[in-house]
Amino acid sequence: MTEFMPDRQRTRYESLFEPTALGKVDLANRVALAPMTRVSATADGVPTDRIGSYYRVFADGGFALLITEGLYIDDQTSQGYFFQPGIANPTQAAAWQRIVEGVHTAGSRFFAQLMHAGSQSQGNPHSAATWGPSAVRPKGKQLAMYRGSGPFQIPEAMTAEQIRQVRAAFVTAARFARDAGFDGVEIHGANGYLLDEFLTDYMNNRTDSYGGDVTNRIRLAREVCQDVVAAVGADIAVGIRISQGKVSDNHHRWAGREDDASAIFTALSDTGIDYLHITEYRALAPAFIGDVKTLAELAKKYSRLPIIANGHLDDPRDAAEIIDSGAADVVALAKPALANRDWPHRVLRGEPLSPDLPADLFGPVANLKDWEVAVEFTDPEAGAVD
């Protein structure tokens, strides 16, 4: 148990409980639930009552913002794994509407994370092939927690028409999310999924306007942000999640270091989005060896947007530190939230926090050891990979 003194230390964490906003969406405090894979939808990607109960618990526990697990955006190639929920059709969107209403009843805001898995798709029931910027196999191996095994497939190098299809799918999914009542959408541009693959130098060997220097490699993420802002930005908040590490390569860092960060965050901020969600293995660690700036600091410096920070902010002292430093405006918690589903209430009251994760985390995981191995090599903060 981590012990906290109820009165004397509470003032240290006051910044976590100040109100803020992401775009036009007001938040009662600075603590968000990070996106974490549940693998507990139906085979057709429809969210279940179990998923609804899962999110409602965190809303009741005081998290001002909940961000869904990655939701696949079309019925062709975007799904990442079996039993992943989608928001690709009216049936899926209607099921999310009931869940959104439950979260709102508890007083929390709710964002839908929109995801195309790209070449990190594992066992996609809709397609035998995967898509990527180039025909380059992701590093590492598929994960047992996703019913995957062996190396990832070598993806098909996407054509210009397939790129247009993906852009359109993000827009369609964003409209479904808006109509289902979500307060915002978060475009998944992190963790080695499709948009991040375009950004990643060794995954992208293209010679057209989507390949080459970092300005071209961020182009698809920038276009998707612009498309989604144009489609729903007047109605709901729009943001994007960005990382250096990925499911298949947690040690990856941008070769251009701060120059790349400047180009990436400036390009994204110019799209009209409302915030950036920065996820690193440790949010308070330097982004690059030999430097002192965190990736959240660089995102704030070059984007001037509100920043959500994610990555081992388990201790409220660390969570408050990154808020107090001005590098982030909101913290997103994964593993500590699973262990303490009322984390904000506990911290506010000065109550002990449990370090213990529940044995039945989600869906059909073979055993806790499988999940722990997956967490160690994948998600920066770790509830499961999103």
Side-chain angles (χ1 to χ4, degrees):
M1 288 286 187
T2 301
E3 297 291 343
F4 301 106
M5 298 185 68
D7 297 316
R8 189 172 63 192
Q9 290 193 358
R10 184 181 300 173
T11 56
R12 185 181 301 176
Y13 316 127
E14 282 180 351
S15 57
L16 294 175
F17 300 98
E18 296 172 351
T20 190
L22 299 174
K24 298 176 184 177
V25 178
D26 293 328
L27 302 180
N29 62 47
R30 308 295 184 103
V31 186
L33 176 72
M36 291 181 281
T37 297
R38 299 291 89 200
V39 290
S40 48
T42 70
D44 295 325
V46 177
T48 59
D49 289 343
R50 181 179 183 180
I51 289 177
S53 298
Y54 163 81
Y55 287 113
R56 179 61 185 263
V57 166
F58 293 102
D60 289 334
F63 289 83
L65 171 65
L66 314 182
I67 306 173
T68 71
E69 59 219 275
L71 311 181
Y72 67 83
I73 58 172
D74 64 35
D75 291 324
Q76 285 75 51
T77 61
S78 65
Q79 186 169 355
Y81 34 84
F82 287 111
F83 301 102
Q84 178 188 7
I87 194 157
N89 57 57
T91 300
Q92 293 169 347
W96 276 112
Q97 185 172 1
R98 297 191 298 271
I99 297 171
V100 171
E101 289 170 354
V103 168
H104 284 166
T105 298
S108 295
R109 300 293 195 159
F110 206 10
F111 288 5
Q113 189 184 73
L114 310 181
M115 169 182 161
H116 192 300
S119 61
Q120 284 184 166
S121 176
Q122 303 180 57
N124 185 338
H126 293 124
S127 176
T130 59
W131 286 0
S134 304
V136 177
R137 190 194 308 272
K139 295 180 179 180
K141 294 183 178 181
Q142 300 180 61
L143 302 177
M145 60 187 281
Y146 291 158
R147 293 181 171 81
S149 63
F152 290 95
Q153 294 184 55
I154 297 175
E156 294 181 5
M158 292 173 65
T159 65
E161 175 56 31
Q162 288 168 337
I163 289 173
R164 284 191 289 271
Q165 290 176 25
V166 166
R167 289 176 61 181
F170 271 104
V171 168
T172 298
R175 287 176 172 148
F176 277 134
R178 175 198 61 193
D179 295 345
F182 281 101
D183 302 290
V185 290
E186 180 171 286
I187 296 159
H188 202 335
N191 302 119
Y193 295 113
L194 184 67
L195 300 184
D196 185 42
E197 291 168 20
F198 271 80
L199 177 58
T200 301
D201 47 13
Y202 69 83
M203 296 292 293
N204 185 343
N205 297 327
R206 301 178 73 94
T207 57
D208 61 7
S209 62
Y210 291 96
D213 65 18
V214 69
T215 301
N216 281 353
R217 287 185 279 112
I218 195 62
R219 185 181 304 276
L220 181 55
R222 179 172 57 80
E223 289 176 340
V224 169
C225 288
Q226 289 173 327
D227 294 342
V228 172
V229 167
V232 303
D235 305 317
I236 59 177
V238 179
I240 186 169
R241 194 182 209 215
I242 294 292
S243 70
Q244 296 189 93
K246 43 200 97 262
V247 171
S248 54
D249 181 7
N250 199 39
H251 301 291
H252 176 72
R253 294 295 178 266
W254 297 334
R257 298 166 62 90
E258 186 166 344
D259 288 342
D260 278 5
S262 172
I264 290 164
F265 296 134
T266 300
L268 293 174
S269 69
D270 288 343
T271 63
I273 57 174
D274 297 302
Y275 73 92
L276 291 166
H277 183 172
I278 305 303
T279 178
E280 288 280 84
Y281 181 69
R282 293 192 183 278
L284 289 170
F288 308 108
I289 295 173
D291 202 348
V292 297
K293 302 182 191 73
T294 67
L295 197 63
E297 286 181 272
L298 294 171
K300 176 65 79 172
K301 176 180 178 180
Y302 292 111
S303 76
R304 305 296 181 184
L305 290 173
I307 303 298
I308 300 177
N310 169 249
H312 280 287
L313 297 170
D314 309 37
D315 192 312
R317 289 170 293 188
D318 293 334
E321 178 182 338
I322 200 166
I323 297 294
D324 293 338
S325 73
D329 302 272
V330 176
V331 295
L333 306 181
K335 187 189 293 183
L338 289 176
N340 303 272
R341 302 193 180 200
D342 58 349
W343 192 96
H345 288 333
R346 285 175 178 255
V347 172
L348 186 60
R349 295 191 295 251
E351 295 175 354
L353 292 173
S354 172
D356 300 322
L357 293 168
D360 181 21
L361 288 168
F362 56 82
V365 181
N367 55 56
L368 186 58
K369 182 178 179 181
D370 287 345
W371 181 85
E372 289 171 336
V373 169
V375 163
E376 180 180 356
F377 292 103
T378 53
D379 188 52
E381 181 156 351
V385 182
D386 258 352

